[in-house]
Amino acid sequence: AARDLRLVGKVTYDEARLKRITAWVPGRLDRLFVDVTGIQINEGEHLVEIYSPDLFVAQRDLLQAVRTEQALDGSASPLLRRSAERTVKSVREKLRLWGLSTAQVAAIEESGKASDRITITAPMSGVVIHKAKSVGDYVKEGEGIYPIADLTHVWVQLDAYESDVGWVRFGQDVEFTTVAYPGERFP
């Protein structure tokens, strides 16, 4: 038997298509390239520039470790050379965990210059759905700045009364209307 149910609900983003932009390093937000909600962004676009003394110190440590490793010639003890290699690898890994790519780390080593700023780019295309921070705010590592949602697929969440639950089945066809598009039905 079929039965029409009228339920109230809302259209929301698909949680599987949501990315949270977080601070990779502790520091201060020097620039928000996207500073309002509802803005469409594309993958790879600049989102945030963070000033971070910790990042500068880690890059300076990398450059010092690389110089030390290069200064050790064939006459240095194998133990000393291995220790220097491990130090370089360790600092490279720290920078990688802070979000720097292998190419960015290589560029630091090649230029020989440390920077106290990092730019975070969009990991996907989507829409900024909330702005939690402003320029000048200090952030901790991992602290949220804003979430981006891919709205090409969305969820419809409907609230059913307990007495209607028996009529709802997994995989059944559903049709809904919205106030935004009067008279249009969406399967």
Side-chain angles (χ1 to χ4, degrees):
R3 179 176 176 189
D4 283 342
L5 292 179
R6 294 208 173 271
L7 307 174
V8 176
K10 63 181 181 178
V11 177
T12 187
Y13 51 83
D14 178 347
E15 290 178 6
R17 296 173 181 268
L18 177 72
K19 297 279 187 205
R20 298 188 190 287
I21 305 306
T22 60
W24 294 345
V25 293
R28 182 185 67 227
L29 299 179
D30 265 5
R31 187 168 181 190
L32 292 179
F33 294 91
V34 178
D35 60 356
V36 293
T37 59
I39 298 291
Q40 173 71 40
I41 53 142
N42 296 313
E43 183 177 349
E45 285 184 9
H46 291 179
L47 297 176
V48 177
E49 184 179 80
I50 299 175
Y51 162 77
S52 175
D54 290 354
L55 176 68
F56 181 79
V57 169
Q59 290 179 45
R60 195 180 61 202
D61 290 348
L62 172 66
L63 294 174
Q64 180 60 48
V66 168
R67 281 193 294 272
T68 301
E69 182 184 39
Q70 291 169 347
L72 295 174
D73 56 16
S75 64
S77 78
L79 179 64
L80 204 55
R81 284 196 311 271
R82 280 196 305 275
S83 175
E85 288 171 10
R86 280 196 304 271
T87 301
V88 169
K89 285 181 183 177
S90 174
V91 180
R92 281 179 183 154
E93 180 64 9
K94 180 178 187 175
L95 291 171
R96 190 191 67 73
L97 291 172
W98 272 352
L100 275 70
S101 69
T102 304
Q104 287 172 309
V105 173
I108 293 165
E109 291 179 31
E110 188 176 313
S111 73
K113 294 179 183 172
S115 172
D116 57 8
R117 284 171 174 69
I118 186 171
T119 300
I120 299 175
T121 58
M124 63 181 242
S125 296
V127 175
V128 173
I129 57 173
H130 174 69
K131 186 180 97 167
K133 298 289 179 185
S134 299
V135 170
D137 286 351
Y138 282 85
V139 290
K140 298 175 188 167
E141 182 179 348
E143 193 169 355
I145 301 169
Y146 36 61
I148 298 172
D150 173 1
L151 299 180
T152 57
H153 294 84
V154 293
W155 287 352
V156 176
Q157 294 179 342
L158 302 170
D159 297 324
Y161 291 105
E162 188 176 330
S163 59
D164 294 330
V165 171
W167 294 97
V168 179
R169 300 278 184 265
F170 179 78
Q172 77 186 98
D173 292 332
V174 175
E175 194 174 76
F176 68 94
T177 61
T178 67
V179 175
Y181 298 97
E184 195 169 344
R185 300 180 83 73
F186 298 92

